Amino acid sequence: MPISVNLFKISIMKNYLMLLLVVLVLSCKSNNKTSEELAAVDQTTIAKHIEHLASDEFLGRKPFTEGEVKTVNYLKDEFEKLGALPGNEDSFFQEVPMVEITGTPSEKMVISGKDGSFNLDVLKDFVATTSKVKTDVSLDNSELVFAGYGIVAPEYNWNDYEGIDWKGKTAVVLINDPGFQSGDSTLFKGNEMTYYGRWTYKYEEAARQGAEGLIIIHDTEPTSYGWNVIESGWSGAKLIIESNLPHLSVESWISNESAQKMFDASIMKGEDYKTLARIKGFKPTSLDLNVSVAIQNKIKKDVSKNVVALIPGTERKDEVIIYSAHWDHFGIGKAIDGDSIYNGAIDNASGTAGLLAIAEAFKKSTPTKRSIAFIAVTGEEQGLLGSAFYAENPIFDPKKTVANINIDALGSPGKMKDLTITGYGQSEMDEYAEAAALKQDRYIIPDPDAEKGYFFRSDHFNFAKIGIPALYASGSYEGFNTSIEEIKKYKENYLMHKYHQPSDEYHAETSELSGVQLDLQLFFNVGLKLANEDTFPKYYASSEFRAARE
């Protein structure tokens, strides 16, 4: 056979092999594309579940109500339909024992002194609750003492309670911490709120100090929400997890205007008490005033539920990535514009629906090496109760829990360029988020509103406290088609007109979910990567949660 014929045959063979290679590559790409499509978080699924969960049928999803029964059963049924398994042995539920305290405060809070007395009106000027499981609690001419920010922080050499026997006394404190708007980045964490700035800490610390009561002065900017949120959130029934920890007889807020009236009647009249509280070495000061207020309580002990679903891994089943979101909201409360059902569409039907949409995406994709757990927790609006109970009674070993991805209040008006990370700088979860964001042509930023303390205001905080690296993020700064200023106005409108109000509703014709879908897709992508690795994300050396992990 001539050499030219052989060369021709070899050429044909090469072309055939090249063609075969191209076909294989295209086939792989096609398969990859199919896999990506199967792994997509579906926007229709998100919309369907938000519409259900935020409908009037679910009665505002308050624990201990018919709304809870409907909600937890709906979630269980939907996880079962997806083929997820019970996450708590053979159950989809983790029981969370709670106490419901329905308090009725006296109509007036009486502030009295040597020059007379004046009254504050309930709801308009003050709210009062208790965490004591008693039918009657009160402050009876309890001495009022201004305790600055109500902080005991040895690492900052700070003690607002020092030098006073607090038995029988009521502390009056400012919200947030001394660093807020101080202009001094070395004072606490500057404008970034520490846990010392949260109202939950302030009640806890006052009780530890032996005080009888605590009054927090409301101020919209350092609190980050208006008096209307205090009025709705601190009235009616309150849920607690019963414990042996000390509790105050009365936990109260007063309006900024009422606080000024109080100081004008006190021995501190004319003094700038807010500036004094920021000075290092501040000492608590008696106002030479007394306070009287009473609360009558109805006590109900019952069990709420966390919903727990599991998609087991194929190789390392005991290593778990936890997606969390709180299912609860405020139920039926004070009517606003004729509507008394607090539907909580953004807060947090969006996150709860996100759990189901992400679970659906995992079930459609290739099984992962590690397990994926979904925990819809109860009682977030009452003080992160469901996640706190889980942290004390974990179903999955915290040392083998790879990470927590928490989803709360997704409500952007469209696709966002940014991914804002609340608690940025804590762990390597920042790096996972950044890698996923870049693939979506997005950038990451730390929370620009760090002074509002959002890191301490959702359930990831309780996972972090037991050493589990957590990601809590959302697009909330700049849109692909929406300016930074427009987003700012959108957020301000939400906080003013929808946050914790009956108007937080879902309307299929106007609710925009493309940005929600983009965020949820990113959370899925991060979890998917973690679920197929054999390493664990670490806390950074500067994180206060590193010790719990190690």
Side-chain angles (χ1 to χ4, degrees):
M1 185 177 294
I3 293 175
S4 60
V5 175
N6 282 334
L7 290 174
F8 177 74
K9 285 187 175 182
I10 290 171
S11 176
I12 292 283
M13 183 61 70
K14 281 183 177 180
N15 288 337
Y16 173 76
L17 289 172
M18 286 295 295
L19 180 61
L20 182 61
L21 181 61
V22 169
V23 169
L24 287 171
V25 169
L26 290 174
S27 176
C28 288
K29 286 184 177 180
S30 175
N31 287 337
N32 285 339
K33 185 177 180 182
T34 302
S35 175
E36 288 169 7
E37 287 172 352
L38 288 174
V41 176
D42 190 279
Q43 189 167 314
T44 302
T45 298
I46 301 165
K48 177 184 73 174
H49 292 308
I50 294 178
E51 186 167 21
H52 274 81
L53 291 162
S55 68
D56 285 356
E57 178 189 352
F58 286 78
L59 303 171
R61 305 190 307 279
K62 187 170 185 177
F64 284 15
T65 67
E66 184 186 347
E68 165 165 7
V69 176
K70 289 176 176 287
T71 302
V72 298
N73 286 335
Y74 176 82
L75 294 174
K76 170 186 174 291
D77 291 345
E78 292 301 316
F79 278 121
E80 277 190 311
K81 288 177 188 176
L82 290 172
L85 301 180
N88 189 14
E89 296 182 350
D90 60 350
S91 176
F92 278 96
F93 301 128
Q94 180 186 37
E95 293 191 340
V96 182
M98 293 185 187
V99 181
E100 182 182 73
I101 303 175
T102 305
T104 304
S106 48
E107 290 294 318
K108 307 291 183 182
M109 175 183 279
V110 182
I111 309 296
S112 57
K114 60 183 179 182
D115 295 327
S117 65
F118 62 90
N119 297 333
L120 302 180
D121 295 324
V122 69
L123 296 183
K124 175 178 176 289
D125 301 316
F126 80 95
V127 295
T129 62
T130 186
S131 294
K132 281 193 172 181
V133 186
K134 295 177 65 176
T135 54
D136 295 279
V137 295
S138 64
L139 299 174
D140 299 308
N141 283 315
S142 175
E143 181 184 350
L144 287 169
V145 181
F146 180 52
Y149 283 92
I151 292 171
V152 178
E155 69 273 31
Y156 295 112
N157 192 25
W158 200 279
N159 190 341
D160 286 327
Y161 286 95
E162 190 173 18
I164 285 185
D165 178 3
W166 285 92
K167 185 177 180 181
K169 295 180 176 63
T170 294
V172 179
V173 304
L174 301 168
I175 194 63
N176 216 304
D177 64 46
F180 177 73
Q181 289 190 343
S182 66
D184 182 356
S185 62
T186 66
L187 186 59
F188 283 63
K189 290 187 176 180
N191 228 35
E192 179 181 346
M193 185 193 286
T194 65
Y195 185 53
Y196 297 117
R198 285 288 289 150
W199 60 266
T200 49
Y201 165 79
K202 295 180 188 295
Y203 289 142
E204 292 164 4
E205 189 57 57
R208 281 192 289 267
Q209 295 295 325
E212 189 67 19
L214 178 73
I215 296 174
I216 300 176
I217 299 169
H218 173 265
D219 195 350
T220 297
E221 196 168 4
T223 308
S224 81
Y225 40 78
W227 181 256
N228 62 310
V229 175
I230 302 295
E231 188 179 355
S232 61
W234 273 265
S235 57
K238 172 186 178 180
L239 295 174
I240 66 166
I241 296 176
E242 196 169 9
S243 72
N244 294 322
L245 296 173
H247 292 291
L248 300 165
S249 290
V250 174
E251 301 168 347
S252 179
W253 289 77
I254 61 172
S255 67
N256 201 24
E257 295 77 13
S258 298
Q260 190 60 57
K261 191 174 181 180
M262 178 190 297
F263 278 96
D264 286 345
S266 78
I267 62 172
M268 292 185 68
K269 181 178 180 179
E271 295 192 55
D272 186 348
Y273 63 90
K274 294 180 181 179
T275 297
L276 289 173
R278 188 177 283 143
I279 298 172
K280 198 162 190 175
F282 167 87
K283 294 293 183 288
T285 304
S286 175
L287 296 178
D288 202 20
L289 296 172
N290 297 324
V291 60
S292 296
V293 67
I295 309 173
Q296 291 185 328
N297 298 310
K298 292 180 180 178
I299 308 296
K300 175 184 175 184
K301 296 187 178 183
D302 208 335
V303 174
S304 187
K305 292 181 174 68
N306 291 335
V307 182
V308 189
L310 183 69
I311 300 176
T314 58
E315 295 180 13
R316 297 186 294 282
K317 296 178 187 292
D318 59 340
E319 296 179 5
V320 183
I321 292 92
I322 294 177
Y323 286 90
S324 62
H326 72 91
W327 58 255
D328 66 302
H329 203 55
F330 286 103
I332 298 175
K334 176 187 174 183
I336 298 176
D337 296 330
D339 187 359
S340 61
I341 298 179
Y342 289 64
N343 304 84
I346 290 175
D347 186 16
N348 187 33
S350 65
T352 312
L355 293 184
L356 293 167
I358 290 173
E360 178 184 67
F362 272 109
K363 288 300 294 183
K364 288 181 177 180
S365 64
T366 304
T368 57
K369 295 176 181 179
R370 287 168 161 164
S371 298
I372 311 293
F374 302 89
I375 306 181
V377 294
T378 182
E380 191 268 358
E381 301 290 8
Q382 306 290 328
L384 315 183
L385 300 184
S387 58
F389 183 84
Y390 178 88
E392 293 175 6
N393 305 273
I395 294 169
F396 308 106
D397 183 353
K399 297 299 182 187
K400 293 188 176 182
T401 299
V402 179
N404 165 239
I405 299 172
N406 186 54
I407 312 168
D408 194 356
L410 300 180
S412 61
K415 292 184 177 181
M416 307 297 288
K417 283 184 184 179
D418 74 284
L419 181 75
T420 296
I421 300 178
T422 300
Y424 178 83
Q426 291 283 355
S427 78
E428 291 175 348
M429 289 298 289
D430 295 348
E431 297 166 35
Y432 283 86
E434 182 172 26
L438 287 172
K439 289 181 179 179
Q440 293 181 332
D441 295 324
R442 303 169 73 183
Y443 61 87
I444 66 167
I445 58 169
D447 182 7
D449 298 317
E451 73 278 4
K452 296 178 181 178
Y454 289 125
F455 185 77
F456 312 108
R457 288 167 61 174
S458 193
D459 295 294
H460 64 282
F461 177 54
N462 284 319
F463 289 98
K465 284 203 294 187
I466 59 172
I468 299 170
L471 174 64
Y472 177 43
S474 66
S476 58
Y477 182 68
E478 180 184 13
F480 281 102
N481 299 303
T482 316
S483 70
I484 293 171
E485 188 58 36
E486 287 172 311
I487 296 298
K488 183 180 178 181
K489 288 179 181 177
Y490 174 85
K491 289 165 65 178
E492 288 172 350
N493 180 68
Y494 168 74
L495 288 171
M496 182 65 67
H497 300 294
K498 291 188 176 182
Y499 178 63
H500 288 187
Q501 297 182 56
S503 52
D504 184 5
E505 296 180 310
Y506 177 77
H507 302 285
E509 63 278 7
T510 58
S511 295
E512 171 58 64
L513 296 178
S514 62
V516 174
Q517 188 278 335
L518 193 66
D519 283 349
L520 292 173
Q521 185 67 53
L522 185 144
F523 301 152
F524 168 80
N525 294 344
V526 170
L528 184 64
K529 181 174 175 60
L530 289 165
N532 287 307
E533 292 183 337
D534 56 8
T535 56
F536 285 71
K538 296 179 177 63
Y539 275 107
Y540 296 132
S542 59
S543 173
E544 60 267 44
F545 305 111
R546 185 183 182 187
R549 184 60 158 183
E550 294 181 350

